[in-house]
Structure formats: C-alpha cells, structure tokens
Amino acid sequence: MANEDKKDFNAMLKNSKDMPKIQIITDEASIRKYGGERMFFAPPMEYDRVMRLVPEGKVITVGAIRDYFAKENGADFTDPITAGIFVSIAAWASFQRDGDETPYWRTLKAGGELNEKYPGGAAAQKAKLEAEGHTVIEKGRTNIRYFVKDYEKAEFELK
C-alpha cells in the first residue's frame, strides 16, 4: 500500500464490499493449486474480528485464518489476494485509532514471516513480538526477511 497517512483505513475496514460470498472458479490451474472450486471471500471486518482473538504470547498465520474461514463457510479455500489486503487494512485501521487496538502484529505471513506492510514495517512488528516473548530471526543475505522462531509452538488455534 502507499500513502497510508492519507487513507481512512477504518472506513475501508467497515466496507463489506458485498461479502461474505462464495464464488465458483473454473480455472483448472487455480482449482489444482487451491484444492477446489469454491472460493470464499470474507469481508475486512471478519479478519479484524479473528485477529482480535489471538492472545498475548500467541501468533496466527494469514493461512490459518483463510483455512478457518473456508471451513466455517463450506468453501474449498479463501481468496488469498483479498486476505492479504484485508489483514493489512485491519492493521492500519488499528494503528489509526485511539484505543480499541487490534493486535495485528500477532498475525504472520506464511512460515511465520513478519509483514513488512504493517505500520512501521517488520521492525515495529519485531519489537512488539519480542516484547511478548517471541524470538525473531533473520533470514537471507541480500533480501533480509524476519521470522518468528518456532512460531508453530505459539500458534493460536481457531475453533
């Protein structure tokens, strides 16, 4: 995202965009990649709601949230593109509010990777996670990325 300081992320968060909905996809490559044709779209507020469930000391991945939504809504998978966008919207909306914070820093990308698109980037997310007791490790030589070490041991399970 760009120009975050000029956007009203809380308005974006509340815009359901005719979601939730299930769309049937017909592209064979996508059906093979995602394991089915029923693609679920969750509205931005649903990502915010689930992100708020993760307690201090725990983490969750965007993939786990997507899997949860698909299962709860009778779909084969949840759209990965809108998932990434809506998680970022939830993070920025929380950052723009006074109080009523969503602990967005506890939501990780695949493999436990920190999200550079969150407010303050990976450095700010790293500081918040380390303050909650997580160890963050660095990977790469030129394109350095950050990951929560052994994130699976601290993963919050949605029920």
Side-chain angles (χ1 to χ4, degrees):
M1 286 189 220
N3 300 314
E4 282 81 1
D5 58 332
K6 295 182 172 103
K7 295 178 182 176
D8 182 351
F9 286 96
N10 284 285
M12 291 178 181
L13 189 66
K14 294 174 183 156
N15 185 352
S16 69
K17 303 180 187 313
D18 299 323
M19 294 178 219
K21 68 180 178 184
I22 290 179
Q23 181 176 327
I24 305 300
I25 61 168
T26 56
D27 175 60
E28 290 299 324
S30 295
I31 292 170
R32 280 192 304 278
K33 180 176 181 178
Y34 296 114
E37 61 184 25
R38 295 175 53 80
M39 179 168 59
F40 182 71
F41 292 85
M45 281 297 288
E46 279 299 292
Y47 286 91
D48 186 77
R49 179 186 67 77
V50 170
M51 291 165 73
R52 288 173 179 264
L53 297 174
V54 183
E56 185 174 333
K58 295 288 187 179
V59 294
I60 195 165
T61 63
V62 177
I65 296 172
R66 288 181 50 232
D67 290 346
Y68 170 77
F69 285 151
K71 180 181 173 192
E72 290 294 305
N73 292 281
D76 298 314
F77 66 100
T78 300
D79 177 52
I81 305 297
T82 57
I85 293 167
F86 294 167
V87 163
S88 289
I89 287 172
W92 280 97
S94 177
F95 184 74
Q96 288 179 342
R97 288 192 299 268
D98 291 325
D100 191 30
E101 189 171 54
T102 299
Y104 60 86
W105 58 90
R106 297 177 189 150
T107 301
L108 308 172
K109 293 169 57 175
E113 184 175 359
L114 276 57
N115 194 332
E116 195 61 53
K117 294 181 181 177
Y118 284 168
Q125 186 181 16
K126 178 180 184 284
K128 287 182 174 284
L129 289 166
E130 288 177 339
E132 293 187 359
H134 299 285
T135 301
V136 176
I137 57 173
E138 197 176 289
K139 292 184 181 178
R141 292 189 181 165
T142 53
N143 182 23
I144 297 171
R145 297 163 40 198
Y146 298 91
F147 297 79
V148 172
K149 183 181 181 187
D150 299 326
Y151 76 94
E152 305 93 340
K153 293 178 182 174
E155 201 163 6
F156 179 71
E157 188 175 329
L158 292 167
K159 299 187 190 243

